[in-house]
Amino acid sequence: MIEIQNLAKKYSTQTVLDINILKIPAGQTFGLIGNNGAGKTTLFSCLLDLIKPTKGKVINNQVDVSISEDWKSFTTAFLDETFLIGYLMPEEYFYFIGELRGLSKQKVDSFMSQFEDFFNGEILGGKKYLRDLSKGNQKKAGIVAALMGEPKVIILDEPFANLDPTTQIRLKKIIKDLSNYKDTTILISSHDIQDVTEVCERIVLLEKGELIRDINTSEETLKELEEYFKARIN
Amino acid sequence: MFKTVLSLQWKEFNRGKSVGGKLVAKIFKWFWIIYFAIMSVMIGILASAYGGPSMEFPLENNSLAPFEYANGQLIYFFAYLIVMRYFIQSLPVLNIRSFLLTPILKKDIVRFSLLKTILTYFNILPLFFLVPFTLALASSGNYNTLGLISWNINLLGLIYLTNFFNFLLNNKNNLIYIVGAALGLIKALEYFSIIDFTIYSKEAFYLFYDIPYLSLFTWLFVFWLYSYVKKYFVTGLYIDTGLQVKIKEAKMDDFSWLNRFGKTATFIKNDLRLLKRSKRARTAVYMGLGLLFYGVIFQSTEDVFGTTSAFFGYLFSTGGFLFMFGSFVPSWDSQYYPLMMTQNIQYKEYLNSKWSLMIFGTIISTMLASIIYSFSGLNAVYAVLAGAAYNIGVNGYLTLWAGAYTKTPIDLNSSANAFGDKKAFNVKTVLVGLPQILLPVLLYFFTSQYYDHFMGCVAVACLGALGIFLKPVAFNLIMKAYKTEKYSTLKAYKSN
């Protein structure tokens, strides 16, 4: 589904991303882990054509993202609060994104009804603009908007951070269901080893922009990752 | 403590993300302040020989008329001062939250914020009038020096009263309604000549000249107000009271009647909500409305500079909203530009929606301007319509195109003055901006010289009409500019 070839991003002399080759097959739940400055967000930004790589390219479902914009019709993302429109109410935001993805108002409504539990009554029907919601609730709204319109690829940057425990569990279930039943390719980054090992079928470990490990998740993965990061302390 | 906080503020300014832009804004501001200071000195000197519209100028005889006339006008000066302060003077906003947990006393934090305003230009500028005015009066020998000094001390006290009063005005909603109503009433009573406030004003301010020690009471009042305001803020230094950001109750805006316009409507709906809900965006609308009257200013220059300068004014009056809103496309969307760039959107649809909104605004402006200027005769209306055609057919594209190079993020949640916004200082934007004004004015100038006013208007209107037909070509060029600028725009918006 996604193919990264020779991708590198340099700022003057500093290399922040340098990946030789990385292929993510369709339907995979792909986790990205690493410390601050590992290049996780940079990689996602390159995938979404938000920054121009110094060299190399990203192919998303046969589309070179820097040349054609066709990838936008099947790819969604939530990286940070710049994906929210602060002066809209959550409903208006969902309808707006829905319209862009070709969903009618009724379809958006019925889609939203699945997430009643997830929203915990704090998002829909309130009298607040998105800018006035708490950070956690903003994130919930952004993530759900990224799930709308049956995308083939979903990219989420640190989806679990800032969420309350119950919501984290619910979100994990949502992600697992999407990859099991809908064959959606999901890319997730995280600082939390446990979260990614729980959700992702495959985990890639980045450090200083380079691919250090590429693991198919198994029983031992959590331990392996823990030991890797513990070893970094000394 | 003062020194530490001052140095922090200096760093905040110096290390902000757009130092260059801020610097330009500062220079701009100081240019105006110096301009006003010079004007104040001149007015001060002139006023010392001016006894009112009914008397000769300059006054020859040694009367008290200039002093009395000035006293009569002072009530309006203070009324305007209150209004201007409320709208223009920005209160010093320390990043107070981060100080709450430091060992700095709360009352010191507040004191710093309050005392910092002592030297603001609103308090200093009046001195540029008062000092020369007083000196000129004193040198005439008709006045009691002690009285003049007391009179000045009183005025200075009143200036500081309005200074601290402004803090309350900005924080108490009820107060602003009361004061607004009172000022409106004064203005109305004056306008319909029901009450002549100048008589009372004359008497009141004369008292402080007559009985020098009265000024002491003014200053007692200043100190009382200062301590009241201080106390008000100290008690409000909790994150759930005074420091809490007021949240307005949200209301849905449907706008589904726009759906017939297809994809374009999707964005227009959002932009209408933006204009409605963001203070900063609303300013653009208000300024557009204000610019409707731009032509009036230039009408008065018609006798001196000919019809071309008036034409310039008319051109602007219909394009006010277009410039005010359009110059900040796509900056309006700066806070969520990454979202826009990853959605299933064609640039063409996005740009078309912005363009449609600008044109819609221009059409409304044109209708209003036609009504306003119909009082000045048919020739003015022709010029307004020609200007509108040009704004729609040419300036719409040019403004959008310039937007591709405008990379100043806009913080939608603040109402920071739309005037000072550092945006314009980008060579490319200026270059694109030039033909917006120069081309039609020159075209009008030459055609109206060879033929007449009407043909001049027709020529400009024809150029506009041509532009409307060339829309697909223009849009292709604009789209290309937006595409090549995409990454640097994203980067610039990120460093908000």
Side-chain angles (χ1 to χ4, degrees):
Chain A
M1 190 74 189
I2 294 179
E3 203 174 321
I4 291 160
Q5 300 168 356
N6 255 328
L7 194 71
K9 180 72 189 171
K10 284 181 190 138
Y11 290 107
S12 58
T13 55
Q14 199 187 3
T15 306
V16 292
L17 190 66
D18 191 0
I19 293 177
N20 197 6
I21 188 133
L22 182 63
K23 284 184 189 172
I24 303 167
Q28 190 169 64
T29 318
F30 175 91
L32 206 53
I33 198 156
N35 290 327
N36 286 334
K40 303 187 292 290
T41 310
T42 312
L43 176 59
F44 282 171
S45 300
C46 284
L47 288 175
L48 293 167
D49 194 37
L50 291 175
I51 55 180
K52 205 169 192 161
T54 317
K55 63 167 196 184
K57 56 183 171 181
V58 174
I59 313 280
N60 185 350
N61 198 17
Q62 279 114 44
V63 181
D64 183 334
V65 296
S66 66
I67 293 172
S68 162
E69 293 186 54
D70 292 342
W71 57 273
K72 289 180 178 176
S73 59
F74 54 82
T75 310
T76 61
F78 182 72
L79 298 192
D80 52 28
E81 69 278 10
T82 59
F83 281 69
L84 295 170
I85 303 179
Y87 58 82
L88 294 185
M89 291 175 73
E91 288 91 340
E92 293 170 337
Y93 175 69
F94 293 134
Y95 292 141
F96 170 67
I97 303 285
E99 271 179 57
L100 295 180
R101 310 211 151 269
L103 299 178
S104 69
K105 212 171 164 178
Q106 289 72 26
K107 280 206 176 134
V108 174
D109 283 333
S110 75
F111 179 80
M112 284 305 141
S113 62
Q114 308 168 47
F115 292 96
E116 248 163 53
D117 289 344
F118 187 72
F119 286 152
N120 197 22
E122 288 176 298
I123 294 184
L124 296 180
K127 293 197 161 139
K128 281 183 176 173
Y129 298 123
L130 277 171
R131 63 183 177 212
D132 299 326
L133 292 180
S134 73
K135 286 267 179 287
N137 282 335
Q138 286 185 347
K139 192 157 209 172
K140 284 189 200 174
I143 289 173
V144 168
L147 306 179
M148 246 168 18
E150 312 220 329
K152 287 187 196 159
V153 178
I154 301 175
I155 299 179
L156 301 172
D157 195 12
E158 305 220 23
F160 304 111
N162 265 337
L163 291 183
D164 61 74
T166 314
T167 312
Q168 287 192 21
I169 294 165
R170 284 190 178 128
L171 181 59
K172 281 173 194 166
K173 186 172 179 308
I174 292 172
I175 291 174
K176 277 181 189 161
D177 286 353
L178 273 175
S179 74
N180 289 343
Y181 304 120
K182 298 245 166 117
D183 215 28
T184 315
T185 314
I186 304 173
L187 280 68
I188 289 171
S189 77
S190 179
H191 279 148
D192 192 315
I193 311 170
Q194 189 142 14
D195 285 341
V196 272
T197 39
E198 226 174 283
V199 177
C200 300
E201 298 158 12
R202 175 182 173 196
I203 295 170
V204 157
L205 200 158
L206 285 185
E207 190 171 307
K208 292 185 179 144
E210 282 172 46
L211 200 153
I212 305 285
R213 302 269 170 97
D214 189 344
I215 310 163
N216 284 319
T217 318
S218 64
E219 301 273 305
E220 297 84 46
T221 310
L222 184 62
K223 221 173 187 180
E224 187 185 343
L225 288 171
E226 252 173 5
E227 267 158 24
Y228 173 82
F229 284 105
K230 265 185 196 157
R232 314 298 302 163
I233 295 173
N234 305 317
Chain B
M1 126 95 195
F2 251 63
K3 245 171 76 187
T4 334
V5 182
L6 269 180
S7 87
L8 279 178
Q9 293 226 301
W10 168 246
K11 280 173 192 154
E12 186 189 346
F13 173 75
N14 204 20
R15 298 179 185 174
K17 289 283 160 48
S18 52
V19 188
K22 270 192 201 161
L23 202 67
V24 172
K26 276 256 143 103
I27 292 171
F28 232 51
K29 194 171 106 184
W30 278 99
F31 168 79
W32 284 111
I33 291 175
I34 292 169
Y35 170 79
F36 281 125
I38 294 170
M39 291 299 282
S40 300
V41 171
M42 276 164 51
I43 294 170
I45 294 168
L46 291 177
S48 66
Y50 183 68
S54 57
M55 289 188 215
E56 54 177 320
F57 179 82
L59 278 175
E60 295 290 342
N61 60 344
N62 296 330
S63 74
L64 289 181
F67 186 60
E68 284 177 344
Y69 182 73
N71 277 339
Q73 300 303 315
L74 275 174
I75 183 171
Y76 295 119
F77 167 76
F78 282 107
Y80 282 118
L81 189 64
I82 292 173
V83 176
M84 295 296 270
R85 274 188 198 276
Y86 181 74
F87 284 108
I88 298 176
Q89 186 178 6
S90 50
L91 298 182
V93 197
L94 272 179
N95 194 356
I96 284 183
R97 273 170 189 251
S98 49
F99 284 100
L100 283 182
L101 297 182
T102 59
I104 301 173
L105 290 178
K106 279 186 179 181
K107 71 172 200 285
D108 284 337
I109 301 175
V110 172
R111 193 159 61 192
F112 176 81
S113 308
L114 291 182
L115 292 185
K116 229 188 87 185
T117 60
I118 283 187
L119 290 178
T120 176
Y121 47 89
F122 271 102
N123 299 332
I124 304 302
L125 271 180
L127 293 180
F128 283 88
F129 168 83
L130 286 177
V131 173
F133 180 68
T134 315
L135 286 179
L137 290 186
S139 65
S140 72
N142 301 334
Y143 296 86
N144 166 3
T145 317
L146 183 66
L148 279 180
I149 292 173
S150 157
W151 182 78
N152 272 299
I153 290 175
N154 171 51
L155 289 187
L156 207 60
L158 289 177
I159 288 166
Y160 279 107
L161 267 184
T162 57
N163 184 50
F164 295 123
F165 188 59
N166 190 37
F167 278 93
L168 291 182
L169 270 190
N170 273 285
N171 283 284
K172 293 190 164 181
N173 272 334
N174 297 334
L175 195 63
I176 183 71
Y177 297 134
I178 296 168
V179 173
L183 290 177
L185 190 69
I186 292 179
K187 184 76 197 168
L189 290 174
E190 178 229 327
Y191 186 79
F192 297 110
S193 356
I194 298 171
I195 300 178
D196 187 359
F197 285 99
T198 56
I199 302 169
Y200 304 105
S201 172
K202 206 187 284 181
E203 297 290 330
F205 285 102
Y206 190 79
L207 268 181
F208 293 91
Y209 169 76
D210 210 23
I211 315 169
Y213 64 82
L214 268 187
S215 308
L216 279 179
F217 290 102
T218 315
W219 276 91
L220 278 180
F221 200 51
V222 173
F223 288 117
W224 174 80
L225 187 65
Y226 166 74
S227 58
Y228 176 80
V229 173
K230 200 170 95 177
K231 215 167 109 194
Y232 175 79
F233 278 102
V234 171
T235 49
L237 279 190
Y238 289 92
I239 53 170
D240 64 342
T241 54
L243 296 180
Q244 194 189 32
V245 185
K246 286 187 192 90
I247 294 179
K248 257 201 188 160
E249 192 172 283
K251 262 194 240 137
M252 280 274 250
D253 286 307
D254 197 24
F255 297 126
S256 53
W257 50 275
L258 279 169
N259 284 349
R260 71 190 76 167
F261 297 109
K263 268 240 158 133
T264 311
T266 312
F267 299 104
I268 293 186
K269 279 190 279 188
N270 270 1
D271 283 331
L272 288 177
R273 291 181 184 125
L274 168 78
L275 290 175
K276 214 177 141 194
R277 295 172 188 175
S278 160
K279 248 187 179 177
R280 177 67 182 74
R282 272 202 303 270
T283 346
V285 179
Y286 295 143
M287 284 177 61
L289 286 175
L291 281 174
L292 278 178
F293 297 93
Y294 209 63
V296 178
I297 304 172
F298 282 84
Q299 273 177 349
S300 55
T301 62
E302 199 168 330
D303 300 332
V304 190
F305 298 110
T307 53
T308 306
S309 82
F311 184 80
F312 172 77
Y314 296 134
L315 183 76
F316 247 85
S317 63
T318 57
F321 176 74
L322 188 142
F323 292 124
M324 289 302 142
F325 179 78
S327 316
F328 293 101
V329 172
S331 293
W332 294 118
D333 298 325
S334 61
Q335 282 183 330
Y336 46 88
Y337 209 54
L339 172 80
M340 294 308 224
M341 290 300 105
T342 51
Q343 290 306 311
N344 193 12
I345 302 171
Q346 301 286 320
Y347 258 119
K348 203 172 146 191
E349 293 157 356
Y350 174 74
L351 292 172
N352 192 39
S353 74
K354 300 282 178 202
W355 185 79
S356 310
L357 190 63
M358 278 152 66
I359 299 311
F360 184 62
T362 312
I363 291 171
I364 291 180
S365 306
T366 309
M367 294 199 287
L368 293 173
S370 306
I371 297 169
I372 295 169
Y373 295 109
S374 63
F375 293 104
S376 319
L378 215 50
N379 274 341
V381 177
Y382 291 148
V384 165
L385 293 178
Y390 185 82
N391 280 329
I392 292 174
V394 182
N395 276 344
Y397 308 132
L398 286 176
T399 318
L400 263 190
W401 188 37
Y405 303 102
T406 310
K407 285 161 192 161
T408 324
I410 292 182
D411 182 6
L412 288 176
N413 304 328
S414 85
S415 69
N417 35 3
F419 277 108
D421 251 350
K422 49 255 171 173
K423 157 252 141 143
F425 287 81
N426 175 323
V427 183
K428 274 184 193 164
T429 352
V430 174
L431 282 180
V432 181
L434 270 179
Q436 290 184 331
I437 305 154
L438 270 187
L439 191 68
V441 170
L442 285 178
L443 182 67
Y444 171 83
F445 177 71
F446 287 117
T447 0
S448 65
Q449 288 294 311
Y450 277 111
Y451 301 98
D452 59 359
H453 169 77
F454 183 72
M455 286 312 287
C457 292
V458 169
V460 174
C462 283
L463 199 60
L466 184 70
I468 297 171
F469 284 114
L470 288 177
K471 190 181 164 196
V473 184
F475 259 65
N476 268 334
L477 286 172
I478 299 171
M479 257 155 55
K480 254 185 211 151
Y482 271 79
K483 273 189 184 156
T484 43
E485 296 294 322
K486 173 180 165 181
Y487 302 103
S488 62
T489 308
L490 274 165
K491 200 176 161 203
Y493 287 164
K494 207 179 166 189
S495 59
N496 190 0

